[in-house]
Amino acid sequence: MMELHICARNGGKVLRKFALGDLEELIIGRDEDCDIRIKSPVVSREHCTIEQDATGSLVLTDSDSTGGTFVDENKIDSVRLEDGLEVVVGPAVLKFYESGI
């Protein structure tokens, strides 16, 4: 099962952890209705989503956010989640780990 750690971009402190499990859609953004909320003016109300693709793999997709979603300093539209992946969303780094559970 994939695990998500939300870390501060400066210093790397782990702020929250989530087990992703069998999800249909998970919305990340600053809006109160988001599944994972990042309270920052540089994060869009609905910044990005995580969904399963046709093969059952988890994919993170940018929701046409104003500030963008980045992997290795490159702006991305979508990326397949894998162990060790780090995605930057505003002041946060989303770190993905295969938990082995």
Side-chain angles (χ1 to χ4, degrees), residues 1-20:
M1 176 175 18
M2 192 66 66
E3 192 172 288
L4 164 61
H5 295 192
I6 299 181
C7 304
R9 198 165 166 194
N10 295 329
K13 179 182 176 187
V14 176
L15 304 172
R16 289 179 282 172
K17 295 180 183 181
F18 299 89
L20 298 181

Side-chain angles (χ1 to χ4, degrees), residues 17-89:
K17 295 180 183 181
F18 299 89
L20 298 181
D22 293 329
L23 56 89
E24 294 210 11
E25 179 185 58
L26 184 125
I27 301 171
I28 300 169
R30 76 167 193 270
D31 193 82
E32 289 182 19
D33 294 331
C34 290
D35 300 301
I36 296 177
R37 188 169 180 212
I38 301 172
K39 299 177 191 177
S40 171
V42 298
V43 174
S44 293
R45 284 189 288 272
E46 289 188 3
H47 199 97
C48 56
T49 60
I50 298 174
E51 297 177 286
Q52 283 189 13
D53 66 10
T55 67
S57 296
L58 294 175
V59 177
L60 183 142
T61 304
D62 183 80
S63 301
D64 293 323
S65 65
T66 304
T69 302
F70 297 85
V71 173
D72 295 327
E73 298 183 22
N74 297 308
K75 189 173 182 177
I76 56 108
D77 291 322
S78 67
V79 65
R80 185 183 205 178
L81 302 187
E82 56 186 46
D83 188 48
L85 178 70
E86 294 187 5
V87 178
V88 175
V89 173

